[in-house]
Structure formats: C-alpha cells, structure tokens
Amino acid sequence: MTSLTEPLLKVTSLSCRYGKVTALRGVDMEVNSGELVTIVGANGAGKTTLLRTLSGVLPRYQGTVFFAGEDITTMAAHRRTELGICHVPEGRLMFAELSVADNIMLGAYAHRNDDKWLKKGSDEVYELFPILKDKADDPAGTLSGGQQQMVAIGRALMGRPKLLLLDEPSMGLAPLLVADIFRVVRKLNRDGITCLMVEQNAKAALKIAQRGYVMETGSITMGATASELLANEEVRKAYLGH
Ligand SMILES: Nc1ncnc2c1ncn2[C@@H]1O[C@H](COP(=O)(O)OP(=O)(O)OP(=O)(O)O)[C@@H](O)[C@H]1O
Ligand SMILES: [Mg+2]
C-alpha cells in the first residue's frame, strides 16, 4: 500500500556488477515526492550505473527498488518509463540523423496513442526551449552541445516524468549554458517534477537541490540536506573546490 509519507523512490542494499567489477555496493537512498536530490561523486564512483539501474537498462545484482510503493526491482525498462521514470542519459544519446522534433517525440513512446498529450507535451517542450522550435526540422547532430542537452531533456519530458533522472546535464557546456540548464531543472522541479540529478558541477547542483548524497567507489558515504553538504568541510575540499 502506498502511504502519503512513503518516499517516491526507495532503494535498499542495491548492488550492481559489470562481470567481476562491482560498480554499486549496497546503496541505500531515497527520493521523496516533489524533491530535487543530487548525487555528487568522483569519476567512476558509480553515479551513472546507479541511474541506469534505476531506469532498468542495467540489471541489479542484489537489493530492491521501490517506486510509489511498488516493487520494481526486476521490472523491464520500458515498463518503468510507463510508470513515469524518465532518464536523461549521460552524453545525451541523440539519433544524430533524425530531426530534433523526431528525437523529442521518441520520448513519447509510452504515450504514442495519446494525441492530446503529444500536442500538449511538445508545446511545453518548445515553450521551455524556444530555440528548438526554430531547429525542429534540423538533424539533431547539427546542434550545439547545449542544444542537444535541451533535446535530451525535452525527450524525457515527453515521457510525462513523475521521476526525472538526469545524468550530468551540464557536462561539456559553457558556463552561461550551465546556468541555463540548472535554471530549467529548478523550474521543472518547482512545477512539480521530482528529480534525481547526478552532477560533477556539485556546487551549482547542490544550490538548486533540497538534499544530496555523496557517492564513493560504489557506495553512498553521506546523505544530508543540500545546505549541510555545501557547508561540510570534507565535501567542500573533495567536491566543491575549496
Ligand atoms: N560497461 C561497463 N563495463 C565494465 N565496467 C564498467 C562499465 N561501465 C562502467 N564501469 C565501471 O563501473 C564503475 C562505475 O562507473 P560509472 O560510469 O557508473 O561511474 P560515474 O560515477 O558515472 O563516473 P563519471 O563521473 O566518469 O561519469 C567504474 O569503475 C567503471 O569503470
Ligand atoms: Mg557517469
């Protein structure tokens, strides 16, 4: 049964392996409905692996994942998308030859027969990113990195996310665009989308988040409010550059 106080996402003792390499070791974490939670950690800590395990593109080895009170531990990726778990993957993963509009529409697969949503959702995406409307017919591969990141977010929004998983949305972007992307993520969260965001740009990410986790070699080593993490001496030294 789903109770009001239950987290939207609850992960218990989650482990994941690539062959003999253990990439996640007993991860416990949760995201409450309406929250924006960020995960910080060094290269190779297991952040991408965690998101991929949550969206179901990677099988878990041990542990459980509950979403809105339902055990989704072994549920297929496409069914998780239908439940509203939508993933903006690391590196954006566009179909470079397909148009911007078609890339965005791919995210609506679970709602492909809902004409009303297809119109409303794409209107919302183009309102959020007006530049994409001008480029709707261009091949996605011709867009700048920042514009491709917008397409990747737009594509995930077409899935009507209840939980948006964002993997390094600011990666490789110029500082002004980084600020734009964080502004968009904050807006989406304020508009009611629960977000779990992985970011190397830890300071900016923690500034818009309510809570955060620190990940080291496959484990969560710290979990606290964003302001506590921003003020924490060890976190500052290791991830915030001072
Ligand atoms: N396909 C794979 N096959 C084998 N090992 C992998 C694979 N993908 C990742 N790993 C290993 O799993 C560990 C976690 O990788 P992961 O990509 O999840 O880290 P990350 O925290 O996202 O790093 P980054 O900040 O560089 O994106 C690393 O040791 C990595 O080498
Ligand atoms: Mg990664």
Side-chain angles (χ1 to χ4, degrees), residues 67-220:
F67 181 72
E70 184 177 357
D71 186 344
I72 62 160
T73 307
T74 58
M75 185 182 279
H78 72 275
R79 292 214 35 228
R80 297 188 199 204
T81 314
E82 286 166 11
L83 289 182
I85 301 177
C86 301
H87 193 167
V88 182
E90 186 175 64
R92 293 136 205 172
L93 305 184
M94 307 275 97
F95 289 91
E97 318 280 313
L98 284 188
S99 71
V100 166
D102 286 349
N103 268 282
I104 289 171
M105 275 302 168
L106 283 175
Y109 186 76
H111 309 284
R112 62 193 176 282
N113 297 321
D114 183 347
D115 290 339
K116 250 189 176 159
W117 168 249
L118 296 181
K119 168 85 173 77
K120 183 169 183 284
S122 55
D123 284 352
E124 284 175 14
V125 169
Y126 292 126
E127 195 178 319
L128 194 59
F129 303 117
I131 184 79
L132 297 186
K133 188 154 197 172
D134 301 337
K135 295 185 178 279
D137 298 328
D138 296 2
T142 63
L143 266 54
S144 73
Q147 291 161 351
Q148 290 191 16
Q149 189 61 63
M150 294 173 198
V151 175
I153 293 173
R155 183 178 54 195
L157 292 177
M158 288 306 293
R160 308 190 86 161
K162 292 198 175 75
L163 174 66
L164 188 62
L165 305 173
L166 295 134
D167 196 346
E168 311 260 8
S170 82
M171 187 162 56
L173 304 186
L176 272 178
L177 286 176
V178 170
D180 277 349
I181 289 292
F182 282 122
R183 220 172 286 130
V184 164
V185 174
R186 184 164 60 177
K187 174 181 161 33
L188 294 172
N189 178 243
R190 285 187 174 162
D191 289 349
I193 300 177
T194 306
C195 297
L196 178 60
M197 176 167 71
V198 161
E199 260 293 336
Q200 297 258 339
N201 205 332
K203 198 176 192 173
L206 286 169
K207 278 188 179 159
I208 63 166
Q210 289 102 45
R211 283 195 307 117
Y213 291 99
V214 176
M215 213 171 168
E216 290 174 47
T217 54
S219 301
I220 300 281

Side-chain angles (χ1 to χ4, degrees), residues 18 21 23 42-49 90 168 200:
Y18 297 103
V21 179
N43 290 122
K47 307 179 297 296
T48 295
T49 303
E90 186 175 64
E168 311 260 8
Q200 297 258 339

